Amino acid sequence: MKIISWFTSIVYKTFFLSGDTGFRRAHWIVKTAHVAVVALIIAIGDTRLLVELSLISMILGLYSLGYEWVVSTLALSAILSVYMSLTALIASLIGIAPISLERALLIAIRTLALSTTLAFTFTIISPLEITSLLIKLGARRASATPLLTWRLVPYGLKSFIESLQVGYVKGEGTLSRIPPAVASIVEAGRLIEEYCFYKLSSEAKLPILPHYDYKYSIILLVCDAVTVISVLVLLSV
């Protein structure tokens, strides 16, 4: 039960540790450029660029979200990287896709770098911006869905963790505690749905953008510029 609670906790801290703060308040044009840079690095597939982008993401995350986010993100990414490398080694041992230990280590490094980068990219996306985009595209009735999702998922994860902790205090088994924990998530979803019934049943009229902070916009833009310079240097060699 402790392992499940710990894993759920690091997922919560990795993706939903803070609200519309930090680099979520960077301008949407700068964030769009950052997503484009991340997509470019992934498309190029160079390990050095992935590691560089991962280090930049960790530094920016430490600056805006704190060490707790960095530790949780590294823990979750390490689990994924170990899983990917071990899976590749097992496949090699049984003769499906033979690889060397160096190649398995490279898989672990690339997975770690990619997952930390994507985790930071997720944290800078604001549900208000997605809602505003849906309104602009004419999907006014569905525009409340991002806000509801961003509220329900972290609330459900916290309810799940609290339910598991109650079971641990009572000395209950893990399997016997999971159904009540899942039921707490469903109950939280129904409460939020009931509370937001009017907004879910009506169409949004005007887009609502978050308050932008140009300090975070400039920092993110400078880091992306450094990454693009690294790409140009690599391609010129």
Side-chain angles (χ1 to χ4, degrees):
M1 189 176 296
K2 277 187 175 182
I3 295 177
I4 298 177
S5 178
W6 173 78
F7 181 77
T8 307
S9 177
I10 64 172
V11 170
Y12 170 80
K13 292 177 181 178
T14 299
F15 297 108
F16 302 103
L17 184 61
S18 64
D20 281 330
T21 59
F23 286 98
R24 277 190 180 175
R25 298 176 64 183
H27 198 277
W28 68 268
I29 297 178
V30 178
K31 289 191 283 188
T32 302
H34 178 76
V35 173
V37 170
V38 171
L40 176 64
I41 299 299
I42 294 175
I44 294 174
D46 185 79
T47 303
R48 292 169 294 179
L49 291 177
L50 283 173
V51 172
E52 178 184 342
L53 188 58
S54 174
L55 291 175
I56 292 176
S57 299
M58 288 293 98
I59 293 173
L60 294 178
L62 179 63
Y63 173 72
S64 62
L65 300 171
Y67 75 94
E68 192 173 9
W69 177 84
V70 173
V71 172
S72 299
T73 302
L74 287 176
L76 183 60
S77 300
I79 293 173
L80 293 175
S81 63
V82 170
Y83 170 77
M84 294 296 292
S85 60
L86 285 180
T87 303
L89 283 175
I90 293 173
S92 176
L93 291 175
I94 62 180
I96 296 178
I99 62 171
S100 62
L101 289 176
E102 291 79 8
R103 182 63 179 174
L105 180 61
L106 182 61
I107 291 174
I109 294 174
R110 288 173 62 88
T111 304
L112 182 66
L114 181 60
S115 55
T116 51
T117 300
L118 292 179
F120 173 75
T121 303
F122 179 86
T123 62
I124 70 174
I125 298 174
S126 172
L128 282 175
E129 292 171 333
I130 300 178
T131 295
S132 299
L133 178 61
L134 291 174
I135 294 175
K136 289 288 188 179
L137 294 176
R140 297 179 180 274
R141 191 172 294 276
S143 61
T145 302
L147 293 174
L148 181 62
T149 302
W150 253 261
R151 183 66 185 94
L152 175 59
V153 174
Y155 189 81
L157 288 174
K158 290 185 68 175
S159 299
F160 188 83
I161 295 171
E162 291 172 357
S163 182
L164 290 178
Q165 291 173 344
V166 169
Y168 176 75
V169 173
K170 291 182 177 180
E172 298 177 354
T174 303
L175 295 179
S176 63
R177 195 61 200 176
I178 289 180
V182 174
S184 67
I185 298 178
V186 175
E187 182 180 2
R190 288 176 177 173
L191 288 174
I192 294 177
E193 183 181 9
E194 181 180 354
Y195 180 76
C196 301
F197 176 78
Y198 174 75
K199 290 186 177 181
L200 293 174
S201 302
S202 59
E203 295 183 353
K205 296 178 176 60
L206 297 173
I208 303 175
L209 291 175
H211 174 70
Y212 292 124
D213 190 327
Y214 288 98
K215 175 184 69 174
Y216 291 105
S217 300
I218 294 173
I219 293 174
L220 188 60
L221 187 61
V222 169
C223 291
D224 287 337
V226 171
T227 305
V228 171
I229 292 173
S230 300
V231 172
L232 295 175
V233 170
L234 177 67
L235 295 178
S236 63
V237 175

